[in-house]
Amino acid sequence: MATVNVPEIFGSMVFNQSVMKEMLPEETYNALKNTMEDGTPLDLDAANQIAEAMKNWAISKGATHYSHWFQPLTGITAEKHDSFLTPAAEGKIIMSFSGKELIKGEPDASSFPNGGKRSTFEARGYTVWDPTSYPFIKDHTLCIPTAFCSYTGEALDKKTPLLRSMEALNEQSLRILKLFGNEAKHVTTTMGPEQEYFLVDEALYQKRKDLKMCGRTLFGAKPVKGQEMDDQYFAAIKPRVIKYMEELNTELWKLGIYCKTEHNEAAPAQHEMAPIFTTSNLAADQNQLTMEIMKKVARRHGLLCLLHEKPFEGVNGSGKHNNWSIATDKGENLFSPGKTPMENAQFLLFLTAVIKAVDENQDLLRCIVASAGNDHRLGANEAPPSIMSIYVGDELDAILNAIRKGTDYEDAKKKKMTIGVDVLPPIPKDSTDRNRTSPFAFTGNRFEFRSVGSNLSISGPNTILNAILADALKSFADELEKSDNFDSDLHKLIKREITNHWKILFNGNGYGAEWIVEAEKRGLKNYRTTPDAMEHYLDEKNIKLLGGLGIYTEDEMRSHYEIKLEKYCQTLNIEVETMIKMVNKDILSSAFKYMNVMADTSYKFQKILLSGFSGDELLSDLNKLVRNLMQNTKNLEKLHAKTREMKDLLEKSKSYAYQILPAMEEVRAVADQIEVVLGEEYKPFPSYEDLLYSVQ
């Protein structure tokens, strides 16, 4: 690949602030900047000027169409392309784009998931330009990031609630900062999602119905070599993968995505890329775009990019580590401990708010990362367990414990300090190790929410993180704003809340079976499956919290509940149908062919040798396995027929979780045994060895 001039191409396909400043009149540019930063409405004249400049810029980059690019509740993005072409006199055309077309579109809303909120005949929905996220060019189309709402104004997307949550957190954070004399005018949440993925050969992928239909393998005997040698993680990247990564970087850099890190992950054929932090809204848009481009670029190299959370059984699944922080308009990271006592007091209050938020909302955090795919990954000795807990590191743990107990804190240098607001000890930025087993870990100046699945939109998790922190800060501000002795009452509040929520702090091994027992003793929630978690999504406290902050209406939450459970059932339905089809059309067919050859060979050998042939035993064993497979498949079909008839979504999803999935495991167990017995030329589809070790 040719050498890339990164500074020259970076952001070249983005209508960013530098382009705006160059192409817009100063007055219009300032008006747009005020809209982006403060939400000031744009008048139509300014919108028309922006649209004209945007169109001219896009055409100069080869664009012929524009699209309102949005994030419906499918979890992926959507777009409808319209050309700039407008008929003119004498059979000619002009290229036009108005402010009205920029600001609002009207796609069909009835065919997107809505949880029963919209009938098929109620088709109208609106896309509304989000000026806080930059337009970009993709495939000769100007893509304009937009929110998506119904005719009645309810959110039908993932962007709208995220923007609402960012504003709620901004409002409550400023109330807290004002109490400390902090003159910040705006607080923004920031995000840096580490994206894990698998690369497999596309030709092999095409021979696997399960990968094509489900995104994961439903069958596959354990390979002779997995990841037990620890020789994949950070190992030298294979030439074919390097070429893929080089092109991926180039495409992402053109779109202004701060792609920074790339390396091999722990499992064979698994890799990771990570961008630099940016605002949550922009990070969410860019991550959706990143996943799309990862898949597109892979095909150019004869590869297939798998973003399923658990594409292969027995090796690590893929997550998306959600690095989350908050910062002021002055660049102050509010999760950074600081160097002075007052900065430390401010940090400890925000830290305490996070502790309170996570403990009180374990259910919401589990719900927002719940999916059929992620259920396979969580708690599978490679990802955090389904139990929510917070890791803060030994030093912070000691400080918080001293505050809780009202004792002196002794730091690493054996310097004793009495815990009071005016003499809080300085806390180094890197005072924690990294705990890869924790679902929610403090890592110096941010929290890493490690439960997020690899193909999940990060808008949902960050909406909930922002919301629960805003709620905790609101309760603190309501109390402290009435205080007559701020320092004293602040210390009492921190001590009380740390004491009340101490059970959520855990610095140990989240993979250990003993933690499940310990967590239960502490009263922590363990929602192992999606239906277990979603059963609590509509609890009164959750409706009150999210509704009170203006992030979700109760109707929107009920819609999300329906959509999540329906998608869970649909996913499992597709997997069951695919499994049955693969058994009947591929596995049994291959087994019968092999058995026929074995029987013929046995007959011939007995004729020649006039004695028993050892292949008879193999044939007998294979016959038993085939019979078991046929019986297990019939059992699965019967169970599935009953489950499909269920009307109640929660009951149906629980049947899939607790009856269908175990039945599928029984089918798989026998099929994988058959795979091991079959001769190489009789394999029904590429094996794990083929898939995991073919890309060089």
Side-chain angles (χ1 to χ4, degrees):
M1 188 172 178
T3 302
V4 175
N5 186 329
V6 180
E8 184 178 295
I9 68 164
F10 189 83
S12 60
M13 304 303 278
V14 182
F15 193 75
N16 54 32
Q17 281 190 254
S18 63
V19 177
M20 296 173 192
K21 194 169 186 178
E22 179 184 337
M23 299 192 67
L24 293 172
E26 184 177 357
E27 184 178 352
T28 305
Y29 170 74
N30 289 334
L32 177 55
K33 193 175 179 183
N34 289 336
T35 298
M36 294 170 65
E37 294 177 356
D38 304 321
T40 307
L42 273 176
D43 61 43
L44 186 57
D45 284 344
N48 282 329
Q49 291 180 43
I50 295 164
E52 180 68 15
M54 205 181 285
K55 178 205 72 177
N56 292 338
W57 170 81
I59 290 173
S60 75
K61 297 288 185 178
T64 56
H65 290 67
Y66 70 91
S67 172
H68 277 197
W69 185 82
F70 57 102
Q71 301 174 39
L73 297 173
T74 55
I76 57 176
T77 58
E79 51 196 70
K80 181 185 76 170
H81 298 184
D82 289 295
S83 74
F84 292 121
L85 182 151
T86 302
E90 300 178 351
K92 296 186 178 181
I93 58 105
I94 59 173
M95 304 294 268
S96 66
F97 183 51
S98 70
K100 286 185 178 179
E101 291 169 318
L102 166 64
I103 290 172
K104 190 168 81 170
E106 190 179 326
D108 185 342
S110 63
S111 296
F112 291 105
N114 56 60
K117 288 162 59 62
R118 303 286 287 159
S119 301
T120 303
F121 62 85
E122 296 174 320
R124 183 166 289 178
Y126 295 117
T127 49
V128 183
W129 177 35
D130 171 19
T132 64
S133 188
Y134 301 132
F136 56 90
I137 293 173
K138 177 172 68 76
D139 299 330
H140 305 291
T141 299
L142 171 66
C143 295
I144 302 157
T146 57
F148 181 43
C149 62
S150 72
Y151 179 67
T152 52
E154 292 164 318
L156 293 174
D157 68 341
K158 294 180 178 291
K159 176 186 279 284
T160 303
L162 177 61
L163 292 171
R164 292 171 180 170
S165 73
M166 292 171 70
E167 184 49 43
L169 185 54
N170 169 58
E171 180 183 345
Q172 301 307 325
S173 297
L174 290 178
R175 290 178 67 192
I176 294 293
L177 293 177
K178 186 177 180 181
L179 294 170
F180 285 92
N182 190 314
E183 297 180 355
K185 295 181 179 179
H186 195 80
V187 171
T188 306
T189 62
T190 59
M191 245 301 299
E194 301 169 33
Q195 180 73 57
E196 295 176 341
Y197 61 98
F198 281 83
L199 289 176
V200 297
D201 188 277
E202 186 177 10
L204 297 177
Y205 164 89
Q206 294 294 346
K207 296 177 182 178
R208 297 275 318 208
K209 290 187 182 74
D210 46 6
L211 282 178
K212 290 168 67 176
M213 296 293 104
C214 312
R216 76 178 183 100
T217 54
L218 302 177
F219 300 102
K222 184 180 178 182
V224 175
K225 178 187 176 186
Q227 62 188 68
E228 63 275 6
M229 298 294 290
D230 298 322
D231 57 352
Q232 164 75 5
Y233 194 53
F234 278 33
I237 303 171
K238 295 182 173 73
R240 194 173 171 192
V241 178
I242 278 286
K243 289 180 180 179
Y244 163 77
M245 289 179 171
E246 287 174 349
E247 185 175 354
L248 176 63
N249 288 336
T250 300
E251 294 300 315
L252 295 179
W253 289 335
K254 287 178 184 177
L255 291 165
I257 297 173
Y258 298 99
C259 183
K260 176 77 172 177
T261 303
E262 59 192 27
H263 62 83
N264 286 343
E265 255 298 334
Q270 188 183 32
H271 315 280
E272 180 181 297
M273 67 79 63
I276 298 173
F277 279 61
T278 188
T279 58
S280 294
N281 178 36
L282 189 56
D285 284 357
Q286 290 184 344
N287 185 250
Q288 289 295 117
L289 196 53
T290 295
M291 290 191 287
E292 178 187 334
I293 293 170
M294 289 171 79
K295 293 178 180 180
K296 189 181 297 183
V297 171
R299 286 187 179 270
R300 295 176 193 163
H301 293 263
L303 301 170
L304 215 295
C305 177
L306 300 177
L307 292 173
H308 193 283
E309 298 90 343
K310 190 75 172 178
F312 301 102
E313 190 173 282
V315 299
N316 280 12
S318 295
K320 177 148 47 193
H321 303 163
N322 192 94
N323 292 284
W324 171 71
S325 193
I326 51 178
T328 70
D329 54 312
K330 297 181 179 181
E332 178 187 5
N333 186 325
L334 297 177
F335 289 156
S336 183
K339 298 178 180 178
T340 67
M342 211 56 181
E343 285 177 341
N344 274 275
Q346 178 182 288
F347 160 72
L348 279 174
L349 186 62
F350 275 91
L351 174 63
T352 302
V354 172
I355 293 170
K356 172 183 171 72
V358 173
D359 187 26
E360 291 182 347
N361 298 284
Q362 301 165 49
D363 52 353
L364 278 177
L365 289 173
R366 179 63 181 92
C367 284
I368 206 61
V369 299
S371 71
N374 212 23
D375 285 358
H376 291 293
R377 169 180 165 264
L378 294 177
N381 280 3
E382 82 235 15
S386 50
I387 305 163
M388 292 296 157
S389 65
I390 301 177
Y391 169 84
V392 294
D394 293 339
E395 186 168 359
L396 268 180
D397 186 77
I399 291 171
L400 295 175
N401 201 29
I403 294 174
R404 178 173 71 113
K405 293 181 177 179
T407 58
D408 290 350
Y409 166 71
E410 185 176 282
D411 68 11
K413 296 179 180 178
K414 306 301 180 185
K415 182 180 179 182
K416 290 187 177 181
M417 294 185 176
T418 301
I419 300 298
V421 172
D422 58 338
V423 286
L424 287 171
I427 305 167
K429 176 183 174 183
D430 295 319
S431 62
T432 68
D433 195 356
R434 288 180 180 267
N435 187 329
R436 294 175 59 83
T437 74
S438 174
F440 202 80
F442 181 66
T443 56
N445 60 359
R446 64 187 184 276
F447 284 91
E448 185 178 19
F449 188 22
R450 302 187 72 250
S451 300
V452 182
S454 54
N455 69 357
L456 184 69
S457 165
I458 59 172
S459 292
N462 285 283
T463 296
I464 295 301
L465 288 174
N466 295 343
I468 64 176
L469 180 56
D471 182 64
L473 292 174
K474 181 179 184 298
S475 70
F476 289 179
D478 289 345
E479 180 176 340
L480 293 172
E481 284 172 350
K482 300 172 185 175
S483 173
D484 294 325
N485 188 333
F486 176 71
D487 284 0
S488 175
D489 289 343
L490 173 63
H491 177 62
K492 290 177 183 176
L493 184 152
I494 291 174
K495 179 178 181 179
R496 181 193 73 219
E497 295 297 333
I498 289 171
T499 302
N500 290 344
H501 302 290
W502 188 256
K503 67 179 182 293
I504 200 71
L505 300 178
F506 177 64
N507 285 352
N509 179 17
Y511 292 169
E514 62 276 5
W515 167 232
I516 297 175
V517 177
E518 169 64 21
E520 186 176 1
K521 288 180 181 177
R522 295 187 184 195
L524 300 182
K525 299 175 174 65
N526 184 7
Y527 301 129
R528 298 181 61 190
T529 71
T530 294
D532 289 341
M534 291 306 296
E535 189 171 9
H536 299 278
Y537 183 68
L538 295 176
D539 286 354
E540 185 178 350
K541 77 155 182 88
N542 295 334
I543 294 173
K544 183 178 178 182
L545 185 158
L546 295 168
L549 291 170
I551 293 168
Y552 292 129
T553 65
E554 183 172 343
D555 280 350
E556 287 169 348
M557 290 184 68
R558 292 190 181 280
S559 171
H560 299 162
Y561 171 84
E562 297 280 333
I563 291 168
K564 180 89 81 167
L565 289 182
E566 187 173 46
K567 185 174 182 180
Y568 179 84
C569 293
Q570 289 170 341
T571 299
L572 269 295
N573 177 70
I574 292 169
E575 290 188 356
V576 171
E577 295 290 344
T578 303
M579 174 171 269
I580 293 170
K581 189 173 184 179
M582 291 178 73
V583 168
N584 293 332
K585 291 199 171 187
D586 299 325
I587 299 171
L588 288 177
S589 175
S590 295
F592 289 146
K593 287 178 184 177
Y594 189 57
M595 290 169 69
N596 183 56
V597 171
M598 289 293 295
D600 188 48
T601 303
S602 177
Y603 175 76
K604 289 177 180 178
F605 270 54
Q606 288 187 47
K607 282 284 187 181
I608 296 169
L609 301 176
L610 301 177
S611 62
F613 172 51
S614 60
D616 291 347
E617 186 177 339
L618 177 61
L619 185 59
S620 175
D621 290 343
L622 183 54
N623 183 51
K624 290 177 184 177
L625 289 172
V626 166
R627 285 178 178 275
N628 288 339
L629 178 61
M630 294 172 69
Q631 185 59 53
N632 289 350
T633 304
K634 286 181 181 178
N635 292 341
L636 175 62
E637 287 178 310
K638 289 178 183 177
L639 281 173
H640 190 220
K642 290 181 181 178
T643 300
R644 287 175 62 179
E645 293 301 313
M646 293 179 178
K647 302 300 181 185
D648 183 83
L649 267 179
L650 183 61
E651 180 187 359
K652 188 174 185 178
S653 63
K654 285 189 173 182
S655 180
Y656 271 115
Y658 292 107
Q659 295 188 57
I660 298 298
L661 280 172
M664 290 175 70
E665 283 302 313
E666 289 179 2
V667 171
R668 175 175 186 153
V670 180
D672 289 355
Q673 285 180 272
I674 291 174
E675 180 189 332
V676 175
V677 176
L678 295 181
E680 185 70 18
E681 65 271 31
Y682 295 95
K683 290 191 307 185
F685 34 68
S687 67
Y688 269 25
E689 281 96 340
D690 298 328
L691 291 164
L692 293 172
Y693 294 100
S694 62
V695 179
Q696 298 298 323

